[in-house]
Amino acid sequence: MTGAVDPRDVLPTVIHHPLRLAVLSSLRHVEAADFVSLRDAFATTSAEMSRQLGILESAGLVEVLKSRKDRQVVTQARLSDHGRTAFATYLEELRRISEGLG
Amino acid sequence: MDDAAARQALADAQSAPSLVTRPSSAEVLAGAASVALVAAAAPLAVATDAVREIRWVVAAAVWVVVLAWLTRRRPGARLRGRVDGVAFWACLAAALLPVGQLLWSPDSVGGAAVAGSVAALLLGTFLGVRWRR
C-alpha cells in the first residue's frame, strides 16, 4: 500500500460547480470586480450570483467587500489569498487528471 | 471526476470571461500628467539650487505611490504582475535619486534630468502594463 493520494479526492468540491469555477477563473486575473460586472459577464441573475458568491465566501475562497457610493451600496468581490492558492492548486490537479497522471 | 470531466473543467476555466476593464479617461489623464510631473520635478528642483526644493522630488515620488495604489483600487484592474512590480519599484528609486544629488552636489541639472526621464519612462511602462487588456 502506498501513501499516494488520488487527486480526485483532494479537489475541493465547492469549486466543481460550473458557475463558481468560471467566477474563480475570471477573478484570478483582476484585483477585484464589482458585482454588476460579474453578474453581467456570466449572464445570471443577481440572486444567483449573490448565492454563489456567498458559497465561495463561506469557503474562504472569495472576499466580498461592500462600500457606499452616491448613497448606494457597491459590492466588490476578489479572490482571497487562500482562494488564489487553492484555485491554482485545483487547476494543477485538473491538469494532472486530464493528462492521466492522477 | 474522470479525465474527460477534468478536461472540460479546464476548458471552462480557460474560456471564462475577462473582467479586466479599461481605465477611465480621468485615470489616463492623471497618468499622463504624472509622467510629465515625474519627468519635470527633479530637474526643476535641482535648477532652483535650493535644498528645500527636495520636497518637490519627494512629492513626485509620493504621488507615484498614490497613483500605483489608485490603479489597483479600480474594479476590473488587472492583477499586479512581476513586470509592473519591477517597473514601480525602479521608478520610485529613479524618482528619489535626485534627493541625494540635491543634498550633496546640487549643481548638476543633467543628472537630475536623466533620473527624472528614467523615472518617467518607468512610470509610463508601469501604467502601460497596468492598463493592458
Side-chain angles (χ1 to χ4, degrees):
Chain A
M1 183 175 170
T2 66
V5 178
D6 188 330
R8 293 168 182 81
D9 297 334
V10 297
L11 288 177
T13 53
V14 73
I15 308 181
H16 287 349
H17 187 280
L19 181 55
R20 292 197 287 271
L21 175 76
V23 166
L24 291 174
S25 300
S26 294
L27 285 177
R28 200 160 59 109
H29 302 291
V30 291
E31 297 282 352
D34 61 41
F35 182 84
V36 176
S37 303
L38 274 168
R39 185 197 62 196
D40 295 349
F42 293 100
T44 187
T45 62
S46 296
E48 178 62 5
M49 181 53 71
S50 188
R51 197 172 76 83
Q52 300 302 342
L53 283 179
I55 293 170
L56 291 171
E57 188 182 24
S58 299
L61 299 170
V62 159
E63 292 168 358
V64 176
L65 318 155
K66 290 184 187 291
S67 59
R68 282 197 165 270
K69 189 177 180 186
D70 299 332
R71 282 197 249 173
Q72 286 192 320
V73 176
V74 177
T75 304
Q76 288 185 18
R78 64 180 293 273
L79 271 189
S80 65
D81 292 341
H82 164 66
R84 202 167 287 285
T85 310
F87 191 59
T89 307
Y90 180 86
L91 290 178
E92 192 51 45
E93 294 298 348
L94 279 185
R95 272 186 210 103
R96 286 184 60 195
I97 295 171
S98 65
E99 288 165 6
L101 302 174
Chain B
M1 181 181 276
D2 59 21
D3 301 3
R7 270 195 293 276
Q8 183 58 50
L10 269 178
D12 290 346
Q14 280 159 4
S15 61
S18 170
L19 298 171
V20 177
T21 56
R22 286 182 187 283
S24 65
S25 311
E27 188 176 333
V28 173
L29 268 176
S34 303
V35 170
L37 169 82
V38 168
L44 284 178
V46 173
T48 58
D49 200 18
V51 172
R52 72 172 186 279
E53 300 308 332
I54 282 174
R55 62 190 168 172
W56 298 113
V57 178
V58 174
V62 169
W63 175 244
V64 167
V65 175
V66 172
L67 187 70
W69 179 74
L70 286 174
T71 61
R72 288 188 74 175
R73 231 176 129 250
R74 173 173 55 82
R78 176 179 286 278
L79 189 70
R80 196 158 167 181
R82 200 169 295 151
V83 175
D84 41 334
V86 169
F88 167 74
W89 287 110
C91 169
L92 205 55
L96 285 171
L97 263 181
V99 170
Q101 189 183 359
L102 280 163
L103 287 174
W104 292 293
S105 57
D107 301 328
S108 166
V109 181
V114 170
S117 301
V118 169
L121 186 69
L122 288 165
L123 182 60
T125 305
F126 169 79
L127 292 173
V129 174
R130 296 290 302 140
W131 292 339
R132 178 171 52 99
R133 272 180 74 92

